[in-house]
Amino acid sequence: GQHGSTRDDDVIVPFILYGSSIKSGVLIATAENTDMAPTSLALFGIDHRKHLKAQGRIIKEALEE
């Protein structure tokens, strides 16, 4: 029983955003799992800094302005 490794097959996963506030066809070179919560909250208009001690960032380049 192994729970993953440091191989690319185990650590690189798709990060897909879809919806009316998402830019179409944008490919982001680097996103981290820690970016999921801040980005999701931003889509709802919630400032993640007030609610999380998250280390991630908002993936602004994928969001409609």
Side-chain angles (χ1 to χ4, degrees):
Q2 187 175 350
H3 295 283
S5 70
T6 57
R7 294 186 344 224
D8 284 351
D9 291 344
D10 290 331
V11 298
I12 297 176
V13 296
F15 188 83
I16 300 169
L17 299 171
Y18 176 82
S20 61
S21 298
I22 306 298
K23 290 180 185 174
S24 179
V26 174
L27 178 63
I28 307 301
T30 305
E32 303 288 334
N33 287 338
T34 55
D35 300 335
M36 292 175 70
T39 303
S40 297
L41 289 173
L43 288 168
F44 289 105
I46 300 170
D47 184 351
H48 74 281
R49 295 168 294 185
K50 294 181 181 178
H51 303 282
L52 296 175
K53 293 182 181 177
Q55 296 177 353
R57 67 182 181 95
I58 298 171
I59 305 173
K60 294 179 183 178
E61 57 268 38
L63 305 181
E64 293 285 347
E65 302 270 334

